């Protein structure tokens, strides 16, 4: 079973990213053939300021969090140039209407973001990312389902012309993963500025956690936990026994939300400690990160190059 996913390098990762998507990918390693790449060409479509640094930061963070280059193929999109060639070829199998219906393009233009061609053709590049490697499954967030469906539509059109060459991918949305709330209780998201980052400074982390919105209840009173933002974030990190202990502390009374916040800060700091140490290592050894990425790109190319040869041959590009 081959899994493939792309990650945009978009700055500091938060715990919503971790529990909502990164952890699933890490858990799948070993059990399946996992392919993960940093989608730097995609990031360019939304401005791409400081892209080189963001790409290295994403690589460093993902390695620190547990992408294992022995178990997964991990590379930077632009290091496997075949993807751009396939992107062009697939463009001829992509009706304009298919792209005009893409939600992400419609949403962005509705928000007044000036449309350029790369934003419009983004789903074709994403189709090339996927179809080049013939994955069975593409794990994505809900907002990306339509893009995988577009990749399937393009693959069908291509196969109708040239035979059964491109594998039709299935998307997979992890339904069991709940939406991680931000410090204000809305969905945690960079765009809402309500995130708790994975790799912040300790003091800053505590400051952020102290800002989590909670009910006003007197110290001695019992407290409700099910709807409490502190509890709902803490439960991501706790074992069943620890969770029961925390529930007791809420219902017993005698402690305020401030205490629970301090507890959450501690728990979170310990949870990410090994990742933080690994990150510090990779941060000081960026040459190692580059080596891992180069090795990953070679592994990816070993699949991409013969696939592209086949496609060049059937399409007559190879003469
Ligand atoms: P942001 O909303 O902060 O810009 P992204 O859209 O870049 O985050 O999300 C990257 C990945 O993390 C996606 O797969 C998305 O589903 C997941 N993710 C982001 N925020 C959350 C959240 N609050 N809860 C669960 N998953 C999330
Ligand atoms: N568009 C995806 C996102 O914004 C990233 C991405 C690019 C991707 N190419 C991909 C995801 C291929 C899965 C497969 O999150």
């Amino acid at each position: 079973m081959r899994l493939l996913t792309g990650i945009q390098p978009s700055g500091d990762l938060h715990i919503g990213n971790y529990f909502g998507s990164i952890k699933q990918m890490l858990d799948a390693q070993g059990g399946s053939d996992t392919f993960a790449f940093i989608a730097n060409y995609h990031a360019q479509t939304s401005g791409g300021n400081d892209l080189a640094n963001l790409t290295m930061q994403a690589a460093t963070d993902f390695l620190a969090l547990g992408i294992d280059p022995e178990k997964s193929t991990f590379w930077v999109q632009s290091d496997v140039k075949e993807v751009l060639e396939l992107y062009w070829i697939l463009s001829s199998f992509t009706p304009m209407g298919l792209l005009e219906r893409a939600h992400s393009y419609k949403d962005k233009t509705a928000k007044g973001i000036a449309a350029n061609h790369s934003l419009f053709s983004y789903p074709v590049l994403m189709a090339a990312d996927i179809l080049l490697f013939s994955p069975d499954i593409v794990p994505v967030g809900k907002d990306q389902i339509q893009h995988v469906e577009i990749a399937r539509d393009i693959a069908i059109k291509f196969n109708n012309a040239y035979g059964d060459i491109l594998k039709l991918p299935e998307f997979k949305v992890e339904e069991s993963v709940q939406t991680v709330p931000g410090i204000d209780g809305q969905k945690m998201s960079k765009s809402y500025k309500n995130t708790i980052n994975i790799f912040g400074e300790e003091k800053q982390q505590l400051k952020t956690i102290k800002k989590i919105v909670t009910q006003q209840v007197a110290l001695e009173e019992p407290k409700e936990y099910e709807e409490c933002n502190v509890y709902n974030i803490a439960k991501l990190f706790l074992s069943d026994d620890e969770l029961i202990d925390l529930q007791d502390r809420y219902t017993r009374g005698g402690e305020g939300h401030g205490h629970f916040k301090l507890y959450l800060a501690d728990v979170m700091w310990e949870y990410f400690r090994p990742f933080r140490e690994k990150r510090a290592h990779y941060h000081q050894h960026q040459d190692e990160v580059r080596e891992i990425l180069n090795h990953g790109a070679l592994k990816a190319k070993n699949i991409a190059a013969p696939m592209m040869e086949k496609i060049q041959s059937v399409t007559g590009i190879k003469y």
Side-chain angles (χ1 to χ4, degrees), residues 4-8 37 39 42 122 126 129-130 138-140 144 147:
L4 175 139
T5 196
I7 306 135
Q8 288 216 33
F37 65 92
H42 279 94
Y122 180 116
M126 185 157 157
D129 292 330
I130 297 170
V138 181
V140 285
Q144 297 294 320
H147 289 153

Side-chain angles (χ1 to χ4, degrees), residues 2 13 61-62 80 130 154 169 182 196 205 247 254 294 310 315-316:
R2 181 173 293 172
L13 296 170
D61 286 354
F62 276 86
V80 180
I130 297 170
I154 295 174
I196 303 175
Q205 297 289 75
Q247 291 171 2
N294 286 339
K310 200 163 47 159
T315 52

Side-chain angles (χ1 to χ4, degrees), residues 219-261:
L219 192 73
E220 61 280 5
E221 294 291 316
K223 287 163 196 74
E224 184 280 325
Y225 58 82
E226 269 174 18
E227 300 287 317
C228 175
N229 294 324
V230 179
Y231 174 84
N232 280 323
I233 295 172
K235 78 177 179 196
L236 298 164
F237 298 97
L238 299 179
S239 67
D240 290 349
D241 286 346
E242 290 167 330
L243 206 56
I244 290 170
D245 282 347
L246 183 60
Q247 291 171 2
D248 271 355
R249 289 172 62 184
Y250 269 80
T251 47
R252 214 187 295 144
E255 287 186 276
H257 288 106
H259 295 101
F260 304 138
K261 287 179 180 176

